[in-house]
Amino acid sequence: MTAIMTAPPGVVDVHEHMAELAKAGRRAVDWVMARRNPDGSLGNLEDGLKYHRAPWTFSLYGESDAGHAICGWMRQNLLTPDMTLGGPPRRLLDGWSYRDSTVIIGAQMLHQHDLSIGLMPELLRCQDPVSGGFANDRLPDGSMSDEMDIPYACGPGFACLLTGHLDAARLVADFLQAIYDAQQELPERFFCFWSRSRQAPIRYGDPGFQRRFVVENQQNEMQRWTIGGIAAGFLGRLYLADPQERYLRLARDYQSFSMAATDDQFSYPSACKSSWGAALLYQITGEPQYLAWLGRFARWYIDSQEPDGFWHPRVEKSQGDIIEITLEYAMHIAILTGAVSSRPAALTDSSGMS
């Protein structure tokens, strides 16, 4: 299956869609809940670790018992004696740190501390002490890949924040600054992968370069449209914990790259994380450009949802792919509505600043 997604209208008042958004998020969670197994697991386990965001999303929507149940299943089937989530049902070695980080966040929200605090040493082992990034993938021999990128650094950064590892979270911000400063062709393109061995972005012509290592901001194709929004979202969260202006400036820079991209980005599910960045920047600043961007995403989430409650990924190989993206979109909706609710319209003046 291929998702049918199009750019939303240029002007949308998000306040007019809050109730509909809440229903969309609830419908999504109900659809996922219907795919729970009697042992607490979710979906077809042959698909691998596609349900890593379930504890997080279930917690946001008040389904704590379902969250506890899947944490219990992970404890019994994924957790190894050396405190990794490496049990046989995992199957997937790509995005190792990112998937772990989403489990850690949800488990921490549910106070399942062996699956949050207990997993942090393994997660931190994946952090590059030089750049502050995190290895994207675990290799078959247990070592970490040379490639690091922006989303797979920000995910662990969120986990570091939630579990109190503020120094490690600051290192992620340093990584985001370093990779941004190394760009030479903004705003047209962003080389979003970083080589741990060379301590530099991986560009056209570099050993191992792949097309997915760059975002061509005006090209209509499946790319890592995720990079600007998740970076801004993480930096916004870090700013709330440690209000340094440099974090807010860098969050604006990343979100600006995302918002300057072609409207064709809305044809691809990976655009979703741009609402994450806009949500945090709106919560912090109250500025109208971020609220307007959230309005467009509100319409996008609503219009692209299937009547049963799920969303399609761009490439769909299994039900696990559908579960994975539906859990994520429900999470983004909760973050979006939370940011808007944090600044009631009556408390915001005409300039957008409270």
Side-chain angles (χ1 to χ4, degrees):
M1 294 289 295
T2 299
I4 300 173
M5 305 180 116
T6 58
V11 179
V12 180
D13 184 349
V14 69
H15 297 99
E16 295 180 358
H17 298 285
M18 292 286 279
E20 196 173 359
L21 271 175
K23 290 178 182 177
R26 184 67 252 177
R27 231 178 2 255
V29 172
D30 288 345
W31 182 86
V32 175
M33 289 279 289
R35 275 123 194 103
R36 295 175 61 214
N37 301 316
D39 62 358
S41 63
L42 185 59
N44 183 354
L45 300 182
E46 294 298 316
D47 296 339
L49 187 55
K50 297 285 188 176
Y51 40 82
H52 48 94
R53 205 178 300 272
W56 186 350
T57 302
F58 286 158
S59 180
L60 287 172
Y61 284 85
E63 297 291 353
S64 56
D65 285 350
H68 290 305
I70 196 165
C71 283
W73 183 88
M74 290 178 181
R75 184 178 294 112
Q76 293 298 317
N77 296 277
L78 286 178
L79 192 63
T80 64
D82 57 350
M83 295 304 291
T84 75
L85 291 179
R90 180 171 192 135
R91 298 182 182 275
L92 303 173
L93 299 180
D94 68 299
W96 184 279
S97 299
Y98 188 83
R99 295 178 199 275
D100 275 18
S101 69
T102 58
V103 172
I104 288 168
I105 291 166
Q108 182 75 349
M109 293 167 70
L110 292 165
H111 308 289
Q112 299 276 353
H113 296 309
D114 57 335
L115 295 178
S116 57
I117 304 299
L119 290 173
M120 282 304 298
E122 172 66 12
L123 183 68
L124 292 170
R125 189 179 73 82
C126 303
Q127 187 170 36
D128 174 29
V130 179
S131 68
F134 280 74
N136 278 18
D137 309 322
R138 176 168 292 204
L139 303 180
D141 65 0
S143 62
M144 295 293 143
S145 63
D146 181 65
E147 295 86 10
M148 301 180 292
D149 75 0
I150 291 166
Y152 288 175
C154 291
F158 283 117
C160 291
L161 269 177
L162 206 65
T163 57
H165 291 81
L166 194 55
D167 287 343
R170 292 188 182 107
L171 288 176
V172 173
D174 292 344
F175 171 74
L176 295 174
Q177 186 71 67
I179 196 169
Y180 190 89
D181 290 345
Q183 302 304 310
Q184 301 172 357
E185 301 176 61
L186 292 174
E188 288 79 14
R189 61 185 55 85
F190 199 121
F191 293 95
C192 54
F193 275 65
W194 185 271
S195 167
R196 183 170 48 178
S197 60
R198 295 192 299 107
Q199 290 298 313
I202 306 174
R203 297 187 173 93
Y204 289 123
D206 288 336
F209 177 82
Q210 300 178 40
R211 176 61 186 83
R212 63 190 177 91
F213 289 6
V214 61
V215 175
E216 299 281 358
N217 222 21
Q218 299 305 314
Q219 286 193 16
N220 179 3
E221 59 184 279
M222 187 162 62
Q223 304 185 74
R224 295 180 80 83
W225 299 110
T226 56
I227 63 172
I230 194 170
F234 166 72
L235 289 161
R237 292 282 190 217
L238 180 58
Y239 177 83
L240 291 173
D242 183 18
Q244 297 187 40
E245 285 301 314
R246 65 188 180 102
Y247 298 147
L248 187 56
R249 284 196 303 271
L250 189 58
R252 290 180 183 276
D253 288 340
Y254 272 101
Q255 187 65 24
S256 292
F257 178 79
S258 177
M259 291 169 64
T262 172
D263 266 5
D264 291 323
Q265 68 177 302
F266 288 105
S267 299
Y268 304 95
S270 56
C272 62
K273 290 183 173 64
S274 192
S275 71
W276 204 344
L280 268 294
L281 282 167
Y282 177 68
Q283 178 180 325
I284 292 166
T285 71
E287 291 176 4
Q289 69 268 27
Y290 302 125
L291 184 64
W293 196 241
L294 292 178
R296 298 192 76 190
F297 268 95
R299 200 64 259 164
W300 189 70
Y301 288 128
I302 292 167
D303 291 344
S304 61
Q305 187 179 35
E306 291 288 343
D308 287 348
F310 63 90
W311 287 271
H312 287 291
R314 182 67 182 182
V315 178
E316 187 175 304
K317 297 180 179 179
S318 67
Q319 186 187 74
D321 295 328
I322 303 173
I323 289 173
E324 186 173 31
I325 199 166
T326 299
L327 286 167
E328 179 168 5
Y329 277 22
M331 180 206 75
H332 288 315
I333 287 173
I335 292 172
L336 190 164
T337 59
V340 175
S341 298
S342 75
R343 285 185 169 269
L347 301 181
T348 304
D349 65 27
S350 59
S351 69
M353 297 296 287
S354 62

